[in-house]
Structures are given as structure tokens and as C-alpha cells.
Amino acid sequence: MDEDGDEDEPPDDVKPALTPEQRRANAAQRRERERFGWDDNRTALPDLYGPISDTIDNIKDGKSLLEFGDTALGLAADLVPGGRQLKRSRQGVETILRGGRYKGYGEDSRLLYPVDATWQQVLQASIFGNNALAATRDFYAGGDSGLSKNQTALYESLVSGGADRMETYHAIQDWRRIGNDKDGELDSYERGRMQRDVLRALDMDDEQKLALYTGLSGADTRGEKFQTLMAAGLTWAQVMDAYDQYAALNAGEGMAAGKKAAALARWADTQGFTKAQAAAVKNQLKFFSIVPAEATRYQHMTDAGLDAGKAYELTQAFDALAPLPGANSVSNMQRYRAIEKAALTEREKIAAIGAVMGDTAAYQKLAAATEAGVRLGQCLDLLDAGAFSGGAKDIPLYRAVVDAANRPEDQLAALSALMTDAEFNKVRTGDDFGVTPELYVRAREIMAGMLEGAGRSGNGEDVKAAVKKIPGLTITQKAALWQILSPATTATNNPFNTVTGKKVQKALDDWKKDEPQGLSLPRLTG
């Protein structure tokens, strides 16, 4: 007789041996019966102690009619001729009606095994009871235990929503069997992957699989993440693919959280997801190192237009860098040099440097210089020497541009992005009076050489001396060059030609009234 007083027991040929706990419980029950003189070995009376006791308890506790019926049938089975057959038939019919063999009722019910209501099953259960059912023999022979109360509620919820009862039941049993195999060779990652594979193979809709996963794992927060990914348009299979990638990376040792985040981001960017779907994967599946790790550089490079593979290879190259002697960390210049050496097009290299440098004034100047034809390596040399920061340190940069761009109009276009509005105003005004960008830069170089170490800025005499050092200039060019380079705001002291000086000064003043005219250079977007 089982724990509910029912006669549904394992068939004799598959009945498991009693455990020590079961033997002790049987002995205690036998002693209790002996107290009342109801032991079968001492009296010819039927074994009525259990059924009567259970019936009285059910009446006291106000149990349901089904529960009362069970215990009443247990009593009748011993008092009424043919009562045991009646009890077997009643239990078999109940199993068919409930769709399976249950222990208990209501919130306390637990499913032992499901049963399909075929006509053969109905006939067998009605006549011979539960033990005649193949499902009963399979259950006890398989060594499985029934579902818990929570698992039973989950099972019934899914079945009522249209899920196949047998498939759902076996999925729950398979999940539990894998999860309980903690003494085997599988680690937690492999067990989790195998459990997710159980759900992948089910003939359920994605929402049912999500409900089953959440109910079995108890991972409500993770379930919410999966729900968010599905809301972004991913299927359950795609969500599981993403989580498998995440779990494999998370289980890996010797890899920093940031590197794991970059690897997952690269994977998401190569799966054919939409941009929003890939972003959802990156946002929902985070790696932690006290705080969530971000694939920042990788993401910036893909945002700048690099494909996922090239962006990831660069992040790997960055990770391989070591700080220079005396430094505590890898410098951005080391990263720029790594980009320069990478197997990328020139435009991709510029975009990658922008991802590291950020959309700063220095980066805008570097992009303009390379657009004008200055080699990236030369730009990095200039950057390392302090150029791209403005002032006299940018004069070598101006020289590189005018040497790389042969046509004056190209030189002007590049210098417009490198100079402040005030300085470029001087260059374009001088160009109107025959002072080419190259002449302007040459004069600036001469003055910088004259004043180096002097600790002062140039005055009118310094400009005059610098202009005289440039051979082949016309009077107009000399006057214009002096006017745009000297600190004077009038032409009164122009040593070469005051008439030209006044015209140049008027043009300078007129330019100041105009809106700044900057040149927008193309950026890599694809």
C-alpha cells in the first residue's frame, strides 16, 4: 500500500527494494497496529487500521470528495465483497480522467506520470486498475520520481495552453535528470547547455519554451532577459544560440570581462541580426568584473564602419600590447601604431584611430591631413611630436599638408580644417593677394626659427625680416604677407606698400563679419 493508502504499487517484477527508511517506517506502523490488536498476523480480521484512520482524518480535515472517496474506498476494499476490484477500477478511471496518476489533490497534488486516454488505456484502467497500464510499469521500471508540486503546476499550465502532455512531462524529467547528475563528468556549463538543448528540441511555441525554462530553472531575471531578446525579434533558437555563446565565454578562465564582452559583441554582429537585435544581445548578456564590462573599443570601431571581424582583430591586437618601459599602462599612441600596421585600408585605419581617439579636434585635424594626402605614419609622427594641438606646434603639420596637396585649392581646403577661423582668415585673404598657402607656411616657419628660444611673440620688425628672407616676392606679395602676419591692425606701418596693406586689412576685417566657413570632410561610414 502506498503513502496515500492506495493500492497503486509497482508491479511485482519491477518493484524496487525497500530502503532502510521505508523498512523503519513499516516497523513503526506495525507496532502501532499491534497496540490496537489489529495486526494481520494476530487476528483473522482484515487490516482496517489504516483505512479507518485515514477516513476519520479526512472527515475531520474537511477534505475534498475525491480524497474522501479514496479513503472510503480503501475501507470498503476490506469490508465489502469485491471492494478491492471496485477500488482498482475507480482509481484507474480517475487516472484516465485526470490525464495521469497523481498523488494528492488541489494545491498539494503531484503528478507521478501522465497517461493518454486511448480506448485501450480506458478499458485496461477500468477493469484492472492502474497496474495494468504500460505507463505505470514504465514509470516504476525507469526509476523516476514524480514531479514536485511546483513542477506539476508548471506542467498543467503548459498542457492547458496546448502543449503535449507527454512531451512536456518527459522534458521536465530530462531536465531534472541532467541537473541531478552533479557527480558525473559534466561541469555546470555542460549541464546547463544540455538542459537548454532539451528545450530546443520541443515542439512548442517560443513563449511556452520560455515559460518552461523559467519555471524549471527558477532564473526569473534571466527569463526576463530572454523575453527582452524575443521582443527584439529573436526566436527562441536564436536566443539560445546567443546564451550558449555567452555561457561558453563566461565559463572560460584567463579572459578578462572586457575581452569576453568584445567576443560576444563580435559574434552578435556576424549573425545576420538587425542592428537593434545585435544591440539587445550586447545589452542583455553582460559580463561582470565588479561592474558590467563593456566592449567599448570594439563597439566604437564597428560604429565607425569597420566590420565585426576587423574590429575584433584590432581589439585582440590591443590586448597583446604591453606598457612601454617606465609606463603603467598602454598608451593610445601604441594603439595608433598597432592600427597603422593592421591589414586595413587607409580609410579603415583612420576610422579605427577615431574610435580610439574619439571625435576630438585632434582627430578632425588628423582626418583632414590624411584626406589631403599626408601619410598616416607621418601624421602619427607629428602627433607624437605635439602637433594637432594648435599654435606653433602645428606649423610642421601645415608644411606636411601643403607638400602633400599640390593644388592651392586643395591646400586651402585642408588648412581650413586644421586652423582656427582667425588664422585661416589670414591664409585665404593672403591667397586673394598672391600669397599662396605655401608662402604663408614658409613665412611662419622662418619666424618660428627666428623666435625659437626668444620667449616672445613676433612684432612688425620680425615679420619684415622674415618676409625679406623669402626670395622672388613681388611688392604686393610682400605687403600682403606683412599685413597678415604682423600684429598690426592698420596699414600705417606697412614697410612694403601701405595701399596694398590697407586693402588687405579691409579684406581681413570684412572676413571677420562673415559666418565661419568650415569644410566638412567625409568620414568612413561603410
Side-chain angles (χ1 to χ4, degrees):
M1 188 173 295
D2 63 23
E3 62 186 44
D4 290 336
D6 295 334
E7 64 98 44
D8 180 16
E9 296 181 307
D12 291 337
D13 56 342
V14 294
K15 186 181 298 182
L18 294 179
T19 65
E21 291 77 8
Q22 289 172 324
R23 287 196 295 271
R24 285 194 293 271
N26 288 346
Q29 188 181 63
R30 193 161 51 250
R31 288 193 297 272
E32 186 71 12
R33 288 171 178 167
E34 290 172 354
R35 288 177 55 206
F36 292 92
W38 288 27
D39 182 58
D40 283 341
N41 294 328
R42 299 191 179 198
T43 176
L45 289 175
D47 182 10
L48 304 180
Y49 172 80
I52 291 176
S53 176
D54 290 344
T55 302
I56 293 172
D57 288 342
N58 282 348
I59 293 173
K60 289 180 179 179
D61 296 340
K63 296 293 179 69
S64 68
L65 289 176
L66 281 174
E67 294 171 278
F68 180 79
D70 274 348
T71 53
L73 280 173
L75 180 60
D78 289 322
L79 295 179
V80 178
R84 290 192 178 278
Q85 175 61 42
L86 176 63
K87 180 180 179 182
R88 281 195 297 268
S89 297
R90 190 265 186 197
Q91 289 174 339
V93 171
E94 179 188 340
T95 296
I96 296 297
L97 292 177
R98 295 182 72 178
R101 183 72 176 112
Y102 282 81
K103 291 288 188 183
Y105 298 89
E107 295 181 355
D108 293 328
S109 66
R110 296 189 300 106
L111 176 66
L112 296 183
Y113 51 87
V115 174
D116 282 330
T118 64
W119 70 267
Q120 294 98 331
Q121 300 274 49
V122 173
L123 184 62
Q124 289 173 337
S126 300
I127 298 176
F128 302 107
N130 291 321
N131 283 350
L133 299 175
T136 303
R137 300 179 63 83
D138 292 343
F139 173 73
Y140 286 107
D144 286 329
S145 61
L147 305 188
S148 69
K149 291 190 295 183
N150 290 339
Q151 290 165 348
T152 298
L154 175 63
Y155 162 87
E156 292 179 339
S157 173
L158 290 168
V159 170
S160 66
D164 180 82
R165 68 176 64 251
M166 290 296 180
E167 185 179 43
T168 303
Y169 173 81
H170 288 301
I172 295 175
Q173 291 286 24
D174 289 344
W175 176 286
R176 296 198 315 176
R177 194 176 299 112
I178 295 168
N180 290 335
D181 185 25
K182 296 180 180 178
D183 295 328
E185 297 180 356
L186 300 178
D187 57 21
S188 61
Y189 161 70
E190 285 295 334
R191 287 197 302 272
R193 182 187 59 77
M194 291 178 65
Q195 286 177 322
R196 293 191 295 275
D197 284 345
V198 168
L199 303 194
R200 283 175 184 266
L202 296 178
D203 186 19
M204 294 182 179
D205 63 41
D206 287 356
E207 289 295 337
Q208 289 173 327
K209 291 179 181 178
L210 174 63
L212 187 54
Y213 174 86
T214 304
L216 291 176
S217 68
D220 293 338
T221 301
R222 191 179 304 154
E224 291 174 1
K225 293 179 182 296
F226 292 171
Q227 180 68 67
T228 300
L229 293 176
M230 290 165 62
L234 298 181
T235 65
W236 177 258
Q238 290 172 320
V239 172
M240 290 297 95
D241 287 344
Y243 191 76
D244 281 351
Q245 289 291 324
Y246 168 83
L249 288 167
N250 202 39
E253 297 180 357
M255 191 175 185
K259 295 181 182 179
K260 294 177 180 179
L264 180 65
R266 178 210 181 189
W267 177 88
D269 288 336
T270 59
Q271 297 306 300
F273 298 155
T274 66
K275 188 173 183 179
Q277 290 169 344
V281 171
K282 300 168 194 176
N283 290 333
Q284 293 300 317
L285 304 180
K286 297 283 191 182
F287 299 91
F288 285 81
S289 177
I290 303 178
V291 296
E294 303 286 350
T296 305
R297 289 198 181 94
Y298 168 87
Q299 191 63 53
H300 285 173
M301 284 188 282
T302 55
D303 288 346
L306 272 71
D307 66 42
K310 292 177 179 178
Y312 185 70
E313 287 175 6
L314 278 180
T315 61
Q316 295 290 87
F318 293 164
D319 291 336
L321 297 174
L324 296 174
N328 295 323
S329 60
V330 173
S331 69
N332 274 347
M333 181 54 67
Q334 288 178 270
R335 297 186 180 96
Y336 303 153
R337 296 294 188 185
I339 292 171
E340 181 191 5
K341 296 175 183 177
L344 303 172
T345 67
E346 197 74 3
R347 288 172 63 80
E348 287 173 335
K349 291 178 181 180
I350 300 303
I353 288 176
V356 177
M357 187 180 291
D359 194 15
T360 61
Y363 173 68
Q364 293 295 332
K365 290 181 180 181
L366 185 143
T370 55
E371 192 73 19
V374 182
R375 292 181 300 101
L376 177 59
Q378 185 178 2
C379 285
L380 294 181
D381 290 341
L382 292 168
L383 180 64
D384 208 12
F388 299 93
S389 58
K393 289 185 177 181
D394 274 1
I395 295 175
L397 174 61
Y398 303 155
R399 167 53 63 190
V401 166
V402 297
D403 286 347
N406 295 323
R407 299 187 306 169
E409 55 265 36
D410 294 334
Q411 296 169 349
L412 284 171
L415 292 175
S416 71
L418 301 177
M419 295 176 169
T420 63
D421 290 335
E423 185 169 16
F424 183 65
N425 182 19
K426 297 177 180 180
V427 176
R428 61 185 173 183
T429 298
D431 188 65
D432 289 341
F433 289 88
V435 177
T436 64
E438 196 280 332
L439 284 176
Y440 175 86
V441 172
R442 196 189 314 176
R444 287 289 309 270
E445 289 172 330
I446 293 171
M447 284 193 63
M450 291 169 48
L451 297 173
E452 185 176 5
R456 62 182 179 83
S457 58
N459 56 31
E461 289 300 317
D462 295 321
V463 176
K464 177 181 176 181
V467 170
K468 286 184 175 182
K469 289 179 178 292
I470 302 175
L473 297 181
T474 65
I475 294 298
T476 298
Q477 289 174 318
K478 291 178 180 179
L481 194 52
W482 186 92
Q483 198 66 43
I484 62 177
L485 288 178
S486 73
T489 56
T490 67
T492 304
N493 297 323
N494 192 305
F496 299 104
N497 189 293
T498 57
V499 174
T500 300
K502 289 178 180 179
K503 291 179 181 179
V504 172
Q505 189 61 49
K506 182 179 185 304
L508 288 171
D509 294 339
D510 289 343
W511 276 114
K512 292 178 183 178
K513 299 175 184 177
D514 295 337
E515 290 292 329
Q517 300 294 314
L519 179 64
S520 178
L521 294 172
R523 294 286 302 279
L524 177 63
T525 57

